[in-house]
Amino acid sequence: MTSVAGRRAPARVGDPVAAIDTPALVIDLDAMERNLAAMAAFAHAQGLRLRPHAKTHKSAAIAQLQRAAGAVGVCVQKLSEAEALAEQGVPDLYISNEIVDPAKLARVAVLAGRVRLAIAVDSHLGIDRLAAALKAEGTEVDVFVEIDVGQGRCGVAPADAGALALRVVSHGLRWAGLQAYHGGAQHLRSAAERKAAIEHAAGAVRAAKASLALAGLACPLVTGAGTGTFALEAASGLWGELQCGSYVFMDRDYADNHLGPEPLGAAPVAFEHALFVKSQVISVGAAHAVVDAGHKSHAIDSGMPKVWQGGFEFRNGGDEHGILTPVLHTEPGAAALPSLGDTVWLIPGHCDPTVNLHGSYVGVRGGLAQGVVETVWPVDARGCLT
C-alpha cells in the first residue's frame, strides 16, 4: 500500500471502502466539504474573517481547502505545528498561544521570514523576548494581546490589556488586536449556559477595549470563538474573526451540545460527522462483540466514541480493543450482535487528540457504505508538541 511518513498506509487511492485496513482514520470527504462550505458561508454572511484552528486536523491539505473556501489563514497552538504546515505550503499562520522560551522565539523569527505569521502574548517578558528575536532576524509578526475571558488559563485581566499593548507598540512590533477565546464555553451542554459564558466574555472584551482606549490605542481586531459558540460571538458585534476548528469533523462531544429550541442566530443548525475510525469485529461473545480499535486509535479524554448507525454502546476494552454491547437490551442476546469481520464505524469523542494518534487520513468519496478512496493524506503536524 501507499507509504505515508515512511509507514504502511491503510489504503490506496481507488480502493473501495471495504478494502481500508483497520483501525484507520477515515474522512467522509463529501460531509467535510459541506461543513467547510457552511462555516465559510456563515462567516461571509456576517462580514467576519474566518481563521479555522488547524490543531484540529493538523493537515496542510485541509488547511488549503479551508483557505480555498474563504479562510484568511489558520491557527495553530504550537510553534512546531506552524513549522510543519509552513513546510507544506500554508502561507498564513497564527500561533494563538504564548511562547516565552528564547530558543523557540528565535525559531518564530526565522519562520516569520517565510510566511505571514501572528502570535499571542500575555506578559512583558514574552513581548521583550519576542522583540529581541525579531530584531535579531530582521522579521515581523502580528502581535495579539490575549485576555482572560473566563477560561482561567492564559491571558491577562482585561484592565491590563492597554499596558501590555503599549509594550508591544513601544518595541515597534505590529500591534494586531485582542485574542479572546473562551475554550471552556465550547462544551457547556445547554444553549443557555453557552450564551451566559459568551456574554461574560463579551464584557471582558469591552473592558479590554476600554483599557486600550485609555492607553490611546485602537483595537484593530478581536479574534476568537469556537465551534460551540461562534454564532454568539458573531452576534455580539465585538469579534471580527472566528477561530472555529472542530466544525470540520464534528466529533461526538461537540454533537452532544444542545442547540436549544431555535438555532443560535444565523448559525447552521448542525454540522455533519465527517471523521471516523474504521474498525473491525475480531471476536464475539455471548453478549458482546470486540473491535480492533482501542484507545491507541481514539482519544478518550472526552469519553468513549459513538458507534455510527449501529445500535451499540462502545465500552473501553484497553489499548487495542473496544467492546460493543447492544443499546437498551434487557437480556444477553436480546439484540443481534455484529458478526466476525463486520465493519464498525466509530465517531471519536474528541477529534483533535484522536487525529494526533494517526499517521494518515483516508479520504473517501461517495459515503462510508459504497464509497471509494479518493486520497490518502499525511497528518503533517502529528506529534508537534513543542
Side-chain angles (χ1 to χ4, degrees):
M1 291 189 178
T2 304
S3 175
V4 176
R7 299 184 181 183
R8 179 183 174 87
R12 296 173 295 191
V13 172
D15 281 349
V17 167
I20 300 172
D21 201 2
T22 59
L25 194 62
V26 176
I27 300 174
D28 181 335
L29 294 172
D30 300 302
M32 183 186 74
E33 289 169 5
R34 288 190 290 269
N35 290 343
L36 295 180
M39 183 62 81
F42 173 83
H44 179 75
Q46 300 296 313
L48 300 173
R49 292 159 53 99
L50 177 61
R51 183 179 289 277
H53 224 305
K55 74 180 180 69
T56 297
H57 53 71
K58 303 169 182 63
S59 163
I62 296 175
Q64 298 291 30
L65 288 175
Q66 290 173 317
R67 292 183 64 247
V72 297
V74 296
C75 297
V76 294
Q77 280 298 82
K78 294 300 182 84
L79 168 59
S80 56
E81 290 178 329
E83 290 169 329
L85 295 184
E87 183 69 26
Q88 297 303 317
V90 180
D92 195 319
L93 297 153
Y94 171 32
I95 304 170
S96 54
N97 200 2
E98 284 68 31
I99 298 176
V100 297
D101 176 63
K104 285 188 173 71
L105 289 169
R107 288 161 53 195
V108 167
V110 170
L111 182 61
R114 298 169 49 205
V115 298
R116 182 169 183 94
L117 191 64
I119 194 168
V121 297
D122 73 352
S123 69
H124 289 285
L125 178 65
I127 294 168
D128 294 347
R129 288 180 171 180
L130 172 65
L134 293 171
K135 183 178 179 180
E137 192 65 29
T139 54
E140 292 185 303
V141 299
D142 293 327
V143 182
F144 289 89
V145 167
E146 181 166 10
I147 59 171
D148 184 357
V149 293
Q151 174 84 0
R153 193 169 60 186
C154 296
V156 297
D160 295 331
L164 212 59
L166 280 176
R167 189 79 163 203
V168 171
V169 173
S170 72
H171 279 293
L173 302 177
R174 285 200 311 239
W175 161 237
L178 296 173
Q179 162 77 7
Y181 173 67
H182 194 336
Q186 302 310 310
H187 298 285
L188 295 173
R189 291 302 178 219
S190 75
E193 288 176 300
R194 295 194 301 277
K195 184 173 184 290
I198 300 308
E199 285 176 349
H200 173 82
V205 170
R206 293 188 186 95
K209 293 182 77 171
S211 174
L212 293 171
L214 286 173
L217 295 174
C219 182
L221 180 69
V222 178
T223 181
T227 298
T229 65
F230 67 92
L232 295 167
E233 282 96 344
S236 74
L238 295 169
W239 278 261
E241 183 175 85
L242 305 178
Q243 296 179 4
C244 314
S246 297
Y247 77 95
V248 65
F249 291 149
M250 205 56 187
D251 56 31
R252 193 227 73 239
D253 196 33
Y254 265 111
D256 285 347
N257 282 356
H258 304 301
L259 291 174
E262 296 180 357
L264 297 174
V269 173
F271 295 102
E272 301 175 50
H273 291 301
L275 184 74
F276 301 86
V277 174
K278 185 189 179 191
S279 68
Q280 183 180 77
V281 177
I282 59 172
S283 180
V284 177
H288 71 277
V290 180
V291 296
D292 59 356
H295 59 245
K296 279 170 61 176
S297 62
H298 54 79
I300 61 174
D301 60 302
S302 295
M304 295 301 113
K306 179 180 179 181
V307 179
W308 174 246
Q309 298 179 337
F312 300 100
E313 179 183 4
F314 184 100
R315 291 193 289 113
N316 187 358
D319 291 2
E320 316 293 352
H321 305 93
I323 300 171
L324 306 184
T325 53
V327 175
L328 299 179
H329 74 281
T330 56
E331 297 177 1
L337 292 166
S339 301
L340 285 171
D342 282 356
T343 292
V344 175
W345 295 97
L346 305 175
I347 303 166
H350 189 182
C351 51
D352 304 23
T354 293
V355 169
N356 201 49
L357 296 170
H358 292 261
S360 60
Y361 292 108
V362 178
V364 170
R365 182 75 66 187
L368 300 183
Q370 303 296 327
V372 173
V373 175
E374 182 175 290
T375 188
V376 178
W377 288 323
V379 180
D380 300 291
R382 180 192 186 190
C384 289
L385 306 179
T386 63

